[in-house]
Amino acid sequence: MKNILFVASESVPFIKTGGLADVVGSLPKSLDKEKYDVRIFIPKYGCMKQEMKDRLNYKTNFYMDFNWKNVYVGIMEAVVDGITYYFIDNEYYFSGPKPYCDDALFEIEKYAFFSKAVLSSLPLIDFKPDIMHCHDWQTGLIPVYLKDHFAGSEFFRDMKSIMTIHNLKFQGKWNIETVKNITGLSDYYFTNDKLEAYGDANLLKGGIVYADTVTTVSKTYAQEVKTEFYGEGLHGLLQAREGELKGIVNGIDYTDFNPESNPLIYNNYTVENFRKEKIKNKRALQKELGLKQDDKTMLIGIVSRLTDQKGFDLIEYMMEEMCKDNVQFVILGTGSAQYEDMFRSFAGRYPDKVSANIYYSEALSHKIYAASDAFLMPSLFEPCGLSQLMALRYGTLPIVRETGGLKDTVEPYNEYEGTGTGFSFANYNAHEMLNTLRYAEEVYYNSKRDWNKMVERAMNADFSWGVSAKKYEEMYEELTK
Ligand code: ADP
Ligand code: GLC
């Protein structure tokens, strides 16, 4: 039996702002339980739902030297679906109204604390990981600390680490003097071959340099990050670590995201009966959101963080034009004020056509995946993307830009060969997006049989964790042999 510890800033079912939480919470369930004891460490955020907080049990506490202070570290525990979760408790760092805040320095201090606290907790919880599987910049210091503060002790000696990059855009950067103070790391670590990048200290870079293996969440993104356009300044380093850089595409939890049984959608359906039953979801959603009730109008869903990453400047540029077509839009998302306001304003002007839901809702997200005909995701970059996988699972055809995981998971429609599960375009260009959307409309309105066959293929495509979980297992074996 090998022990694997996932460390991350979020995980379902406790706390989620995006796909990271889905991955951290679902991948462990798919790994072979005979071979791996996989557990998860996240912060205990004050903003977790009360019903979730009620599930935690106090385990122990201690005081840790951190940032020139002696700081309280509580450890809580919960078991969900057979998976053990641990939580780091500290009021000062984790009591904010959201998991993340805009104060970049506080974020760095917070997750430096978290990373050190997780490692310091291990001898007290009776779980000795063979591998620390770290996710995103928030945990970038763990591979570094393993080689530094903790390297002297027998307990940590053979512990391996993996750095999984879910989004290279976020790196955790601040000036070197401050980060040196916070982390307690010596000058030695702040050179260009270690944590320093472009004059600053960079936590993700530390993780990439010191981890035994580096992965990212799709094959295409693993290639893209080695280029200047996608590399966010770290492309040189990622080229250098090419040998250890693997791309393993994400899956989703096919039990949670199941149109046949999910209780959150209006009407369950299957690949056999979607032609009659899926439409009931559209009718109910149109009614609930006050859109014009019309079976025949193509309904386009968007469920997303409203950021530049997701291609909203293309949508903003074309929204007026797209609203001239016989389509409806339903948007669920929060993020930058510019895009929130843009959708609100279109919803105000075209109440029959556009529904803007500027908030976070698990339930509404499922209803939109189930009710829509198409799902629009024209991302500028997309490490993997889970929304398009959820759409496919619900027979809602993705319209995407061919980047990162979108390219690896959505097969473009080929009308001559009768293949494909969605529609895609290559360049980050608003007219290409519009043309692709209009092509989708044409198929939807004029070749319904072909559209439905595509829905069938989408629903039959398999993006559950099976294959990818095997790849993680191979990597764990490789690292511990
Ligand atoms: P990212 O992690 O970059 O945000 P992904 O496509 O990997 O993108 O994952 C996004 C996840 O967050 C999906 O599960 C999606 O359904 C969910 N999501 C995004 N915005 C909202 C929202 N406003 N309400 C509910 N779920 C949301
Ligand atoms: C990040 C990426 C997204 C990916 C998710 C889970 O948030 O933006 O593309 O699907 O992580 O790996």
Side-chain angles (χ1 to χ4, degrees):
M1 187 66 103
K2 283 169 187 158
N3 292 341
I4 316 287
L5 186 65
F6 276 44
V7 192
S9 56
E10 51 181 275
S11 174
V12 293
F14 292 96
I15 186 86
K16 166 171 164 181
T17 72
L20 172 64
D22 290 306
V23 172
V24 173
S26 61
L27 171 56
K29 287 195 257 177
S30 304
L31 295 163
D32 188 344
K33 291 186 180 51
E34 307 281 297
K35 291 200 193 129
Y36 305 98
D37 184 349
V38 189
R39 306 190 184 187
I40 301 170
F41 238 120
I42 58 174
K44 176 186 174 273
Y45 295 107
C47 60
M48 287 186 331
K49 284 203 191 108
Q50 192 57 43
E51 58 179 285
M52 284 301 157
K53 283 194 253 183
D54 291 343
R55 297 173 78 160
L56 313 193
N57 295 309
Y58 169 82
K59 206 161 162 65
T60 184
N61 80 75
F62 61 96
Y63 281 79
M64 178 179 89
D65 286 335
F66 179 73
N67 197 15
W68 306 97
K69 289 181 289 267
N70 198 243
V71 190
Y72 174 85
V73 181
I75 308 173
M76 315 281 283
E77 184 183 24
V79 179
V80 182
D81 291 341
I83 303 280
T84 301
Y85 287 75
Y86 298 107
F87 304 81
I88 295 289
D89 183 20
N90 177 288
E91 282 289 309
Y92 175 71
Y93 288 117
F94 302 127
S95 62
K98 286 180 180 171
Y100 312 124
C101 72
D102 292 335
D103 179 349
L105 177 56
F106 184 70
E107 291 296 287
I108 289 195
E109 188 183 323
K110 175 162 102 184
Y111 290 107
F113 164 76
F114 174 63
S115 297
K116 192 174 179 188
V118 168
L119 287 171
S120 306
S121 300
L122 296 180
L124 305 176
I125 59 169
D126 211 22
F127 184 70
K128 184 177 170 187
D130 295 289
I131 298 176
M132 297 291 288
H133 192 157
C134 309
H135 298 268
D136 272 355
W137 78 266
Q138 292 90 346
T139 57
L141 281 173
I142 288 179
V144 185
Y145 277 141
L146 269 180
K147 300 275 159 54
D148 182 68
H149 287 47
F150 296 86
S153 110
E154 174 64 34
F155 185 88
F156 290 95
R157 189 149 303 146
D158 298 317
M159 221 174 266
K160 298 283 195 263
S161 63
I162 298 171
M163 189 76 236
T164 293
I165 303 168
H166 296 263
N167 196 332
L168 198 57
K169 178 102 186 168
F170 306 104
Q171 301 179 358
K173 300 184 261 195
W174 203 258
N175 76 63
I176 291 176
E177 269 324 296
T178 311
V179 173
K180 211 191 295 175
N181 256 315
I182 292 172
T183 58
L185 292 166
S186 69
D187 286 336
Y188 169 83
Y189 289 95
F190 297 91
T191 56
N192 186 248
D193 54 340
K194 305 189 189 75
L195 269 68
E196 190 271 345
Y198 307 97
D200 279 332
N202 184 316
L203 270 50
L204 180 65
K205 184 176 179 193
I208 295 172
V209 170
Y210 281 96
D212 296 290
T213 291
V214 182
T215 78
T216 182
V217 288
S218 68
K219 272 212 154 59
T220 294
Y221 193 62
Q223 294 302 324
E224 287 172 340
V225 292
K226 290 183 275 180
T227 67
E228 195 172 347
F229 184 83
Y230 293 100
E232 304 287 346
L234 296 183
H235 48 286
L237 170 64
L238 291 160
Q239 282 163 18
R241 290 225 63 184
E242 185 167 44
E244 290 86 23
L245 176 64
K246 290 190 189 58
I248 305 178
V249 73
N250 288 332
I252 54 170
D253 188 325
Y254 264 42
T255 320
D256 278 359
F257 290 90
N258 187 351
E260 196 171 344
S261 56
N262 190 291
L264 298 171
I265 67 177
Y266 304 99
N267 185 53
N268 292 118
Y269 56 96
T270 65
V271 69
E272 282 81 35
N273 69 17
F274 75 86
R275 286 177 179 80
K276 278 216 177 89
E277 300 296 325
K278 182 171 159 58
I279 185 82
K280 294 179 184 166
N281 289 285
K282 177 155 124 186
R283 278 179 205 143
L285 189 71
Q286 285 172 331
K287 186 163 178 213
E288 181 177 330
L289 300 180
L291 291 166
K292 183 166 172 227
Q293 286 171 255
D294 178 2
D295 282 6
K296 295 237 151 59
T297 304
M298 180 166 149
L299 178 63
I300 302 168
I302 295 175
V303 178
S304 183
R305 292 183 293 118
L306 303 179
T307 70
D308 291 336
Q309 171 187 342
K310 304 291 177 179
F312 285 107
D313 52 346
L314 301 189
I315 294 176
E316 181 170 36
Y317 189 76
M318 278 302 167
M319 197 63 191
E320 189 71 57
E321 188 67 24
M322 294 191 296
C323 284
K324 290 184 188 150
D325 293 4
N326 181 26
V327 295
Q328 292 177 330
F329 287 96
V330 50
I331 295 103
L332 173 64
T334 60
S336 91
Q338 176 193 348
Y339 300 130
E340 292 188 346
D341 293 344
M342 184 264 290
F343 283 123
R344 282 198 192 100
S345 126
F346 276 98
R349 287 169 51 213
Y350 300 96
D352 280 358
K353 287 197 143 179
V354 181
S355 165
N357 305 275
I358 309 301
Y359 50 85
Y360 186 92
S361 163
E362 191 70 29
L364 185 59
S365 75
H366 280 266
K367 288 176 179 173
I368 294 174
Y369 290 123
S372 305
D373 297 297
F375 189 85
L376 183 59
M377 199 168 170
S379 303
L380 172 63
F381 70 93
E382 198 60 74
C384 179
L386 301 177
S387 292
Q388 83 280 13
L389 303 183
M390 295 163 183
L392 286 167
R393 175 74 166 146
Y394 282 107
T396 297
L397 302 185
I399 301 172
V400 304
R401 187 170 92 84
E402 291 154 18
T403 184
L406 295 174
K407 187 170 175 187
D408 296 351
T409 58
V410 178
E411 190 193 342
Y413 178 47
N414 181 323
E415 60 188 58
Y416 307 103
E417 294 180 4
T419 55
T421 54
F423 300 86
S424 63
F425 59 99
N427 298 303
Y428 195 70
N429 174 304
H431 291 277
E432 274 192 40
M433 179 188 73
L434 182 67
N435 289 340
T436 308
L437 178 72
R438 292 210 162 133
Y439 178 43
E441 287 173 38
E442 191 189 303
V443 179
Y444 180 81
Y445 287 112
N446 303 330
S447 315
K448 204 47 186 277
R449 276 197 64 210
D450 293 331
W451 180 277
N452 280 335
K453 281 194 184 142
M454 211 179 330
V455 172
E456 204 168 87
R457 288 194 292 274
M459 292 185 76
N460 280 329
D462 184 2
F463 289 102
S464 62
W465 273 108
V467 177
S468 294
K470 287 276 163 303
K471 292 189 178 152
Y472 279 105
E473 290 174 3
E474 281 162 25
M475 183 172 67
Y476 296 154
E477 288 308 310
E478 186 69 21
L479 266 182
T480 51
K481 76 175 177 221

